[in-house]
Amino acid sequence: MERAMGRPMKYVVVTGGVVSGLGKGVTASSIGVVLKACGLRVTSIKIDPYLNTDAGTMSPFEHGEVFVLDDGGEVDLDLGNYERFLDVTLTRDNNITTGKIYQSVIDKERRGDYLGKTVQVVPHITDAIKDWIGSVSSIPVDGNDGPADVCVIELGGTVGDIESMPFIEALRQLSFSVGKDNFCLIHVSLVPVLGVVGEQKTKPTQHSVRELRALGLTPNLLTCRSAQPLGTSTKEKLSQFCHVPVENILNIHDVPNLWHIPLLLRNQNAHEAILKQLNCASIATPPDLVGWTKMAELYDNLMGTVKIAMVGKYTGLTDSYLSVVKALLHACVACSLKPSIEWIAASDLEDESARTTPEVHNAAWESLKSCSCILVPGGFGDRGVPGMILAAKYARENKIPYLGICLGMQISVIEFSRFVLDLERANSDEFDSSTPYPVVIFMPEGSKTHMGSTMRLGSRRTFFKDADCLASKLYQNPSFVDERHRHRYEVNPDFVNRLEAAGLKFVGSDESGKRMEILELKDHPYYVGVQFHPEFKSRPGKPSALFLGLILAATGKLQAYLGRLPDDIANFRVAEDRSIENCIELRNVARVLTSTALDSSHWLRLYLALKKKNNCGGGLQFCLHSNP
């Protein structure tokens, strides 16, 4: 649905109170899902009041994972929720931080843009915030032309935080300037239950709303987080003391999985309240959430599980690997399974742990050996690296499906160099600058003096060197893929030939052919390492190809999955009354078929069927003769 020319942008602002970590990001994403289901085009902005310019230099223990966008933006993990829920592609400017705002204002002051005026929080900082919101909200993020209909803005932190005050003031000014028909404020708050009394307490929400009103903003809707559904008396009390109609008090109680949250909002008619406030019910349709309902119910009814070993450095905080967890979820659901993740601290697998904490060491190894596959995600620094190397060695020697992402790929190169090539001190420059065998090196274009935004970031193209490789088949045999990167170190090209001669194949590289992007181990059910981060582009219903391959291999279904492709061509494409050239270019058919192992009877059946149906046997004779 195209937005009518001249129609003003509608803003939905989500704030939080009482405590942090209530799920404002998921709430904002779910609101976007419901509005999108009503036929509206939706974009999102996340405001983070911290002074960092972006999330790139922050520890995962401080703020969870750093989510990377196509344009190389290192942003808050909530933008990952927006992309996954809304299936959009955001930009670095969709994440506003105090650091970005103040830097832009100071840069203007240094240029003399303010004509000698005293630069102050009001109006200069607040004007910069409003201008940023206005310009970013007009950038299309869904692949269509023109700005969206609605911009959902999430303000991080909690109301009353001193660092968020300029943003609160800017949003107050924005609400006044755009008018009440274009501004809807949704406040997310906590309704706790005291164990002894068992009563849902509204006082924390009352105080939070009072604080918000004192700052000049009045919520149009309340979204209350609670363990159990809100009682009628609780809603009435909140309505009375917070000046919000009962029908505008929404409840997001604990649910089996996050896909239920848009359905909860729809069932409480959240869309009607928002559309009424924004005076845009006339351009909306009843919400179509059939797909979300199927996903939520499918997950609830899944019985089987697959056990996955996550061997990492930041296992104490699962948000450190949020996108990896979501990508595993998407892949498992596609295989009709639930993920069962065993969080294994890499340091617990090390020999030092065996000496100092033998019980912890034994438990870690027992947990690893009980899993059907192993995943080593990205990370920085040398802590836990010996344990990751041991995990990769165990996966290689015992033919356990393995996926190494970024650091995980580099770990597999170090492990293979040490234990197959017998280069005992092989290492990465990052961990041992004096190693005689630097199989992983610092990128030539990287900066060793500045940390922020100096890595190889964002969407980069990876070209497949071998059409018959496993990764190419999982991606459906393209000549290249575009995936998101975040790294400073890479495989040393001087060692590539030695590694490949010993059986570690580099099947994907950048356009130069010198920067290795994908590795595979031959004669192994699934041993894949990638320099990029495929988890960032995984979506519900559209799992990442490499994560899907890992789960398929872990459950013994990979070869059956790969073997379906030729039958699909024979049974689906031939069944249509049109030439094969209109379905798929003949040279691509040749590449697909010749990259797949078929016995002679399959080839003969496929050839005769295509020749009879499409009268294009000549091209397929080439396929037959060229197939080994």
Side-chain angles (χ1 to χ4, degrees):
M1 180 184 293
E2 290 292 333
R3 192 169 77 121
M5 293 299 292
R7 184 186 300 156
M9 176 65 68
K10 306 288 186 178
Y11 294 99
V12 176
V13 176
V14 178
T15 60
V18 185
V19 295
S20 60
L22 285 177
K24 293 191 303 299
V26 174
T27 301
S29 302
S30 299
I31 289 168
V33 167
V34 175
L35 294 178
K36 185 177 178 179
C38 291
L40 302 177
R41 293 176 58 201
V42 180
T43 185
S44 296
I45 294 175
K46 172 65 188 297
I47 296 175
D48 282 303
Y50 50 68
L51 276 170
N52 304 62
T53 300
D54 57 35
T57 59
M58 299 174 69
S59 165
F61 287 122
E62 286 280 334
H63 209 67
E65 76 170 4
V66 177
F67 190 80
V68 180
L69 303 170
D70 268 2
D71 65 1
E74 297 173 283
V75 296
D76 183 81
L77 57 81
D78 280 323
L79 273 79
N81 285 325
Y82 303 158
E83 285 205 342
R84 284 186 290 269
F85 273 57
L86 298 173
D87 195 18
V88 295
T89 302
L90 301 174
T91 72
R92 67 177 76 232
D93 289 338
N94 288 85
N95 192 191
I96 303 175
T97 68
T98 298
K100 287 180 179 179
I101 294 296
Y102 274 77
Q103 188 174 55
S104 68
V105 170
I106 290 171
D107 288 345
K108 287 182 179 180
E109 185 273 331
R110 292 291 84 188
R111 290 196 304 266
D113 292 2
Y114 296 117
L115 300 176
K117 291 185 178 297
T118 302
V119 181
Q120 298 175 294
V121 173
V122 181
H124 300 100
I125 295 296
T126 53
D127 283 350
I129 295 169
K130 291 187 295 181
D131 291 344
W132 195 302
I133 291 173
S135 62
V136 172
S137 63
S138 65
I139 299 173
V141 296
D142 57 1
N144 296 316
D145 295 330
D149 299 300
V150 179
C151 178
V152 179
I153 303 172
E154 178 196 347
L155 175 61
T158 56
V159 172
D161 294 345
I162 189 169
E163 61 264 26
S164 66
M165 290 303 181
F167 294 101
I168 291 285
E169 172 60 19
L171 292 171
R172 184 196 65 78
Q173 294 178 20
L174 180 68
S175 68
F176 180 75
S177 61
V178 301
K180 63 180 182 179
D181 287 347
N182 300 312
F183 190 91
C184 179
L185 178 61
I186 302 175
H187 189 59
V188 182
S189 185
L190 176 68
V191 178
V193 173
L194 297 183
V196 176
V197 181
E199 178 188 1
Q200 292 176 330
K201 293 296 184 180
T202 64
K203 192 64 70 176
T205 299
Q206 292 180 42
H207 284 300
S208 182
V209 171
R210 183 181 302 164
E211 179 83 15
L212 191 61
R213 289 167 63 88
L215 296 171
L217 287 171
T218 300
N220 303 110
L221 289 86
L222 281 181
T223 301
C224 299
R225 286 284 289 112
S226 61
Q228 300 295 327
L230 291 184
T232 302
S233 61
T234 303
K235 284 190 174 185
E236 291 174 348
K237 192 171 184 180
L238 285 169
S239 176
Q240 180 180 5
F241 286 98
C242 299
H243 294 194
V244 176
V246 171
E247 60 270 20
N248 285 11
I249 297 177
L250 310 174
N251 179 214
I252 298 181
H253 53 79
D254 292 350
V255 291
N257 67 75
L258 294 181
W259 292 331
H260 280 284
I261 296 180
L263 306 179
L264 271 180
L265 294 174
R266 187 271 314 272
N267 294 342
Q268 297 174 76
N269 297 316
H271 56 290
E272 293 182 1
I274 296 170
L275 294 173
K276 180 180 179 181
Q277 174 63 32
L278 296 176
N279 193 26
C280 61
S282 61
I283 65 170
T285 60
D288 180 6
L289 289 169
V290 174
W292 280 89
T293 303
K294 288 181 178 178
M295 283 195 302
E297 292 178 350
L298 171 64
Y299 185 81
D300 289 345
N301 294 321
L302 292 178
M303 301 299 292
T305 61
V306 57
K307 208 169 183 181
I308 307 155
M310 181 87 81
V311 182
K313 302 175 58 175
Y314 316 114
T315 54
L317 179 65
T318 57
D319 272 0
S320 301
Y321 301 114
L322 182 62
S323 291
V324 175
V325 172
K326 297 302 181 184
L328 287 171
L329 171 64
H330 302 158
C332 287
V333 170
C335 298
S336 299
L337 295 166
K338 286 187 177 182
S340 175
I341 299 177
E342 288 289 313
W343 296 93
I344 301 173
S347 56
D348 291 342
L349 299 172
E350 298 171 7
D351 295 338
E352 179 63 24
S353 174
R355 289 189 293 270
T356 57
T357 54
E359 291 183 0
V360 172
H361 177 265
N362 292 336
W365 273 104
E366 287 178 9
S367 180
L368 181 74
K369 292 177 180 180
S370 69
C371 293
S372 301
C373 60
I374 297 172
L375 192 152
V376 177
F380 298 92
D382 60 358
R383 182 174 59 83
V385 166
M388 296 178 196
I389 292 173
L390 291 173
K393 182 174 184 288
Y394 174 79
R396 178 180 60 81
E397 293 180 341
N398 293 277
K399 297 191 180 300
I400 306 299
Y402 173 90
L403 176 60
I405 298 173
C406 196
L407 174 61
M409 172 186 173
Q410 297 168 11
I411 289 294
S412 61
V413 171
I414 297 170
E415 186 279 328
F416 195 86
S417 300
R418 289 184 183 181
F419 299 104
V420 178
L421 296 183
D422 293 324
L423 305 179
E424 185 178 349
R425 289 188 56 200
N427 215 329
S428 166
D429 275 347
E430 181 180 8
F431 313 134
D432 182 5
S433 58
S434 62
T435 174
Y437 308 113
V439 293
V440 177
I441 58 174
F442 191 81
M443 293 188 305
E445 68 270 33
S447 171
K448 293 189 176 182
T449 58
H450 288 73
M451 299 289 287
S453 298
T454 58
M455 289 183 277
R456 187 166 181 255
L457 292 165
S459 181
R460 306 296 178 106
R461 185 154 291 180
T462 295
F463 293 88
F464 289 104
K465 300 163 65 175
D466 180 5
D468 192 40
C469 70
L470 182 58
S472 176
K473 293 176 183 178
L474 287 169
Y475 277 107
Q476 304 300 318
N477 295 280
S479 58
F480 63 84
V481 292
D482 294 320
E483 294 280 12
R484 298 177 183 178
H485 293 68
R486 186 175 185 252
H487 64 106
R488 287 190 178 90
Y489 293 82
E490 62 184 3
V491 176
N492 189 342
D494 293 342
F495 286 86
V496 167
N497 289 339
R498 294 178 66 179
L499 290 164
E500 290 200 313
L504 194 66
K505 301 297 182 182
F506 293 94
V507 299
S509 67
D510 72 344
E511 64 279 359
S512 72
K514 297 180 179 179
R515 180 165 280 154
M516 299 301 108
E517 293 280 3
I518 307 174
L519 65 79
E520 294 179 5
L521 185 63
K522 299 300 181 182
D523 301 321
H524 192 287
Y526 193 87
Y527 192 94
V528 177
V530 290
Q531 188 59 74
F532 48 80
H533 290 264
E535 68 270 22
F536 290 141
K537 295 180 74 171
S538 182
R539 301 284 185 269
K542 294 187 288 186
S544 164
L546 299 179
F547 279 83
L548 180 61
L550 177 69
I551 301 305
L552 288 168
T555 54
K557 299 176 182 178
L558 180 58
Q559 293 307 314
Y561 172 81
L562 296 175
R564 288 209 311 259
L565 184 58
D567 288 335
D568 286 343
I569 295 174
N571 296 330
F572 171 71
R573 299 194 189 285
V574 178
E576 300 188 18
D577 286 321
R578 53 181 180 171
S579 68
I580 196 168
E581 289 89 346
N582 291 335
C583 300
I584 186 170
E585 291 183 4
L586 199 56
R587 63 176 180 272
N588 290 334
V589 175
R591 187 178 71 234
V592 171
L593 297 183
T594 55
S595 68
T596 308
L598 293 177
D599 60 34
S600 58
S601 64
H602 278 89
W603 278 107
L604 181 61
R605 179 171 61 84
L606 182 59
Y607 169 69
L608 293 175
L610 287 173
K611 183 177 182 181
K612 179 180 178 180
K613 191 70 179 179
N614 296 286
N615 192 28
C616 61
L620 284 162
Q621 285 177 351
F622 165 76
C623 296
L624 287 167
H625 295 154
S626 62
N627 185 61

Tab-separated table of all heavy atoms in Angstrom, residues 276-308:
chain	number	residue	atom	x	y	z
A	276	LYS	N	-7.131	4.628	15.885
A	276	LYS	CA	-8.059	5.690	16.289
A	276	LYS	C	-7.297	6.921	16.756
A	276	LYS	O	-7.638	8.057	16.388
A	276	LYS	CB	-8.973	5.180	17.397
A	276	LYS	CG	-9.981	6.215	17.893
A	276	LYS	CD	-10.852	5.637	19.007
A	276	LYS	CE	-11.835	6.683	19.524
A	276	LYS	NZ	-12.684	6.122	20.638
A	277	GLN	N	-6.250	6.694	17.553
A	277	GLN	CA	-5.456	7.818	18.033
A	277	GLN	C	-4.772	8.541	16.879
A	277	GLN	O	-4.667	9.774	16.867
A	277	GLN	CB	-4.404	7.321	19.031
A	277	GLN	CG	-3.412	8.379	19.501
A	277	GLN	CD	-4.072	9.520	20.258
A	277	GLN	OE1	-5.074	9.317	20.949
A	277	GLN	NE2	-3.527	10.720	20.115
A	278	LEU	N	-4.309	7.786	15.889
A	278	LEU	CA	-3.599	8.370	14.749
A	278	LEU	C	-4.529	8.825	13.634
A	278	LEU	O	-4.068	9.332	12.606
A	278	LEU	CB	-2.592	7.352	14.196
A	278	LEU	CG	-1.448	6.952	15.130
A	278	LEU	CD1	-0.590	5.873	14.486
A	278	LEU	CD2	-0.598	8.153	15.507
A	279	ASN	N	-5.837	8.620	13.824
A	279	ASN	CA	-6.832	9.055	12.841
A	279	ASN	C	-6.524	8.505	11.445
A	279	ASN	O	-6.563	9.225	10.444
A	279	ASN	CB	-6.911	10.591	12.802
A	279	ASN	CG	-8.129	11.084	12.045
A	279	ASN	OD1	-9.147	10.388	11.958
A	279	ASN	ND2	-8.029	12.276	11.474
A	280	CYS	N	-6.191	7.208	11.402
A	280	CYS	CA	-5.877	6.614	10.092
A	280	CYS	C	-6.565	5.267	9.906
A	280	CYS	O	-6.097	4.418	9.146
A	280	CYS	CB	-4.369	6.479	9.905
A	280	CYS	SG	-3.551	5.430	11.119
A	281	ALA	N	-7.673	5.074	10.602
A	281	ALA	CA	-8.402	3.815	10.450
A	281	ALA	C	-8.926	3.634	9.041
A	281	ALA	O	-9.095	2.508	8.561
A	281	ALA	CB	-9.554	3.767	11.451
A	282	SER	N	-9.154	4.749	8.334
A	282	SER	CA	-9.731	4.672	6.984
A	282	SER	C	-8.776	4.068	5.964
A	282	SER	O	-9.218	3.560	4.932
A	282	SER	CB	-10.167	6.067	6.523
A	282	SER	OG	-9.043	6.936	6.477
A	283	ILE	N	-7.480	4.113	6.225
A	283	ILE	CA	-6.521	3.580	5.251
A	283	ILE	C	-6.020	2.201	5.657
A	283	ILE	O	-5.161	1.633	4.992
A	283	ILE	CB	-5.320	4.535	5.077
A	283	ILE	CG1	-4.518	4.644	6.383
A	283	ILE	CG2	-5.770	5.904	4.606
A	283	ILE	CD1	-3.208	5.369	6.228
A	284	ALA	N	-6.560	1.664	6.749
A	284	ALA	CA	-6.104	0.369	7.254
A	284	ALA	C	-7.144	-0.709	6.968
A	284	ALA	O	-8.314	-0.427	6.687
A	284	ALA	CB	-5.821	0.450	8.750
A	285	THR	N	-6.688	-1.937	7.042
A	285	THR	CA	-7.554	-3.092	6.872
A	285	THR	C	-7.517	-3.932	8.152
A	285	THR	O	-6.624	-3.745	8.992
A	285	THR	CB	-7.076	-3.948	5.686
A	285	THR	OG1	-5.730	-4.396	5.953
A	285	THR	CG2	-7.105	-3.143	4.388
A	286	PRO	N	-8.449	-4.849	8.328
A	286	PRO	CA	-8.361	-5.749	9.493
A	286	PRO	C	-7.039	-6.507	9.469
A	286	PRO	O	-6.564	-6.903	8.405
A	286	PRO	CB	-9.555	-6.700	9.306
A	286	PRO	CG	-10.520	-5.913	8.479
A	286	PRO	CD	-9.685	-5.069	7.560
A	287	PRO	N	-6.391	-6.685	10.617
A	287	PRO	CA	-5.055	-7.285	10.635
A	287	PRO	C	-5.060	-8.737	10.161
A	287	PRO	O	-5.878	-9.541	10.614
A	287	PRO	CB	-4.638	-7.185	12.105
A	287	PRO	CG	-5.924	-7.086	12.865
A	287	PRO	CD	-6.877	-6.366	11.970
A	288	ASP	N	-4.163	-9.041	9.239
A	288	ASP	CA	-4.000	-10.401	8.729
A	288	ASP	C	-2.757	-11.004	9.373
A	288	ASP	O	-1.631	-10.733	8.956
A	288	ASP	CB	-3.859	-10.372	7.199
A	288	ASP	CG	-3.680	-11.763	6.606
A	288	ASP	OD1	-3.782	-12.745	7.377
A	288	ASP	OD2	-3.425	-11.867	5.390
A	289	LEU	N	-2.966	-11.811	10.380
A	289	LEU	CA	-1.863	-12.430	11.105
A	289	LEU	C	-1.930	-13.951	11.024
A	289	LEU	O	-1.544	-14.655	11.964
A	289	LEU	CB	-1.877	-11.973	12.573
A	289	LEU	CG	-1.474	-10.513	12.814
A	289	LEU	CD1	-1.775	-10.104	14.238
A	289	LEU	CD2	-0.001	-10.297	12.500
A	290	VAL	N	-2.389	-14.447	9.888
A	290	VAL	CA	-2.507	-15.887	9.707
A	290	VAL	C	-1.135	-16.551	9.824
A	290	VAL	O	-0.962	-17.576	10.488
A	290	VAL	CB	-3.149	-16.215	8.349
A	290	VAL	CG1	-3.132	-17.726	8.107
A	290	VAL	CG2	-4.575	-15.691	8.294
A	291	GLY	N	-0.129	-15.937	9.175
A	291	GLY	CA	1.216	-16.498	9.215
A	291	GLY	C	1.787	-16.537	10.615
A	291	GLY	O	2.395	-17.535	11.027
A	292	TRP	N	1.571	-15.454	11.372
A	292	TRP	CA	2.075	-15.412	12.741
A	292	TRP	C	1.370	-16.439	13.616
A	292	TRP	O	1.975	-17.084	14.475
A	292	TRP	CB	1.898	-14.011	13.317
A	292	TRP	CG	2.965	-13.081	12.866
A	292	TRP	CD1	2.953	-12.302	11.748
A	292	TRP	CD2	4.230	-12.861	13.486
A	292	TRP	NE1	4.128	-11.608	11.646
A	292	TRP	CE2	4.933	-11.924	12.693
A	292	TRP	CE3	4.837	-13.363	14.624
A	292	TRP	CZ2	6.203	-11.483	13.016
A	292	TRP	CZ3	6.116	-12.918	14.956
A	292	TRP	CH2	6.787	-11.995	14.163
A	293	THR	N	0.069	-16.600	13.390
A	293	THR	CA	-0.686	-17.582	14.171
A	293	THR	C	-0.164	-18.989	13.917
A	293	THR	O	0.031	-19.781	14.853
A	293	THR	CB	-2.174	-17.510	13.812
A	293	THR	OG1	-2.656	-16.175	14.035
A	293	THR	CG2	-2.981	-18.481	14.658
A	294	LYS	N	0.111	-19.294	12.657
A	294	LYS	CA	0.629	-20.616	12.316
A	294	LYS	C	1.990	-20.853	12.952
A	294	LYS	O	2.263	-21.937	13.487
A	294	LYS	CB	0.725	-20.764	10.787
A	294	LYS	CG	-0.621	-20.911	10.092
A	294	LYS	CD	-0.438	-21.083	8.596
A	294	LYS	CE	-1.783	-21.269	7.899
A	294	LYS	NZ	-1.625	-21.398	6.424
A	295	MET	N	2.865	-19.824	12.899
A	295	MET	CA	4.195	-19.978	13.496
A	295	MET	C	4.111	-20.210	14.996
A	295	MET	O	4.780	-21.092	15.552
A	295	MET	CB	5.054	-18.737	13.209
A	295	MET	CG	5.603	-18.665	11.803
A	295	MET	SD	6.933	-17.447	11.654
A	295	MET	CE	6.129	-15.955	12.189
A	296	ALA	N	3.294	-19.399	15.663
A	296	ALA	CA	3.184	-19.515	17.123
A	296	ALA	C	2.622	-20.874	17.524
A	296	ALA	O	3.134	-21.526	18.445
A	296	ALA	CB	2.302	-18.388	17.666
A	297	GLU	N	1.577	-21.307	16.832
A	297	GLU	CA	0.959	-22.589	17.175
A	297	GLU	C	1.858	-23.757	16.798
A	297	GLU	O	1.908	-24.769	17.513
A	297	GLU	CB	-0.401	-22.699	16.479
A	297	GLU	CG	-1.431	-21.703	17.020
A	297	GLU	CD	-2.756	-21.793	16.294
A	297	GLU	OE1	-2.816	-22.486	15.242
A	297	GLU	OE2	-3.733	-21.172	16.755
A	298	LEU	N	2.559	-23.619	15.657
A	298	LEU	CA	3.472	-24.687	15.250
A	298	LEU	C	4.533	-24.921	16.319
A	298	LEU	O	4.807	-26.059	16.710
A	298	LEU	CB	4.139	-24.331	13.917
A	298	LEU	CG	5.292	-25.239	13.462
A	298	LEU	CD1	4.780	-26.645	13.197
A	298	LEU	CD2	5.975	-24.678	12.220
A	299	TYR	N	5.132	-23.834	16.796
A	299	TYR	CA	6.186	-23.976	17.795
A	299	TYR	C	5.640	-24.602	19.080
A	299	TYR	O	6.289	-25.454	19.691
A	299	TYR	CB	6.827	-22.626	18.092
A	299	TYR	CG	7.997	-22.726	19.035
A	299	TYR	CD1	9.248	-23.111	18.565
A	299	TYR	CD2	7.862	-22.454	20.393
A	299	TYR	CE1	10.336	-23.225	19.429
A	299	TYR	CE2	8.929	-22.566	21.266
A	299	TYR	CZ	10.163	-22.956	20.771
A	299	TYR	OH	11.231	-23.074	21.619
A	300	ASP	N	4.447	-24.176	19.479
A	300	ASP	CA	3.863	-24.716	20.710
A	300	ASP	C	3.634	-26.213	20.617
A	300	ASP	O	3.703	-26.926	21.634
A	300	ASP	CB	2.532	-24.019	21.005
A	300	ASP	CG	2.714	-22.579	21.439
A	300	ASP	OD1	3.851	-22.204	21.785
A	300	ASP	OD2	1.724	-21.822	21.417
A	301	ASN	N	3.358	-26.704	19.423
A	301	ASN	CA	3.002	-28.112	19.254
A	301	ASN	C	4.176	-28.999	18.872
A	301	ASN	O	4.006	-30.213	18.696
A	301	ASN	CB	1.907	-28.246	18.195
A	301	ASN	CG	0.593	-27.605	18.646
A	301	ASN	OD1	0.226	-27.716	19.813
A	301	ASN	ND2	-0.088	-26.933	17.741
A	302	LEU	N	5.361	-28.416	18.729
A	302	LEU	CA	6.519	-29.236	18.387
A	302	LEU	C	6.903	-30.114	19.568
A	302	LEU	O	6.929	-29.667	20.712
A	302	LEU	CB	7.702	-28.337	17.995
A	302	LEU	CG	7.563	-27.559	16.686
A	302	LEU	CD1	8.777	-26.670	16.463
A	302	LEU	CD2	7.376	-28.494	15.497
A	303	MET	N	7.217	-31.348	19.272
A	303	MET	CA	7.548	-32.302	20.325
A	303	MET	C	9.046	-32.639	20.345
A	303	MET	O	9.647	-32.772	21.397
A	303	MET	CB	6.736	-33.591	20.139
A	303	MET	CG	5.232	-33.367	20.177
A	303	MET	SD	4.665	-32.689	21.754
A	303	MET	CE	4.976	-34.079	22.833
A	304	GLY	N	9.637	-32.802	19.164
A	304	GLY	CA	11.038	-33.192	19.096
A	304	GLY	C	11.976	-32.033	19.366
A	304	GLY	O	11.632	-30.866	19.186
A	305	THR	N	13.177	-32.356	19.820
A	305	THR	CA	14.203	-31.343	20.072
A	305	THR	C	15.519	-31.795	19.458
A	305	THR	O	15.720	-32.968	19.162
A	305	THR	CB	14.420	-31.112	21.583
A	305	THR	OG1	14.859	-32.333	22.185
A	305	THR	CG2	13.140	-30.636	22.252
A	306	VAL	N	16.400	-30.838	19.259
A	306	VAL	CA	17.762	-31.135	18.830
A	306	VAL	C	18.702	-30.389	19.780
A	306	VAL	O	18.490	-29.217	20.086
A	306	VAL	CB	18.004	-30.721	17.359
A	306	VAL	CG1	17.705	-29.250	17.138
A	306	VAL	CG2	19.432	-31.047	16.942
A	307	LYS	N	19.719	-31.087	20.248
A	307	LYS	CA	20.616	-30.534	21.254
A	307	LYS	C	21.820	-29.904	20.559
A	307	LYS	O	22.536	-30.569	19.805
A	307	LYS	CB	21.075	-31.635	22.206
A	307	LYS	CG	21.415	-31.169	23.607
A	307	LYS	CD	21.592	-32.353	24.540
A	307	LYS	CE	21.868	-31.906	25.966
A	307	LYS	NZ	22.066	-33.064	26.856
A	308	ILE	N	22.042	-28.628	20.836
A	308	ILE	CA	23.075	-27.848	20.162
A	308	ILE	C	24.063	-27.334	21.205
A	308	ILE	O	23.659	-26.696	22.184
A	308	ILE	CB	22.459	-26.653	19.413
A	308	ILE	CG1	21.344	-27.127	18.471
A	308	ILE	CG2	23.528	-25.872	18.665
A	308	ILE	CD1	20.325	-26.066	18.158
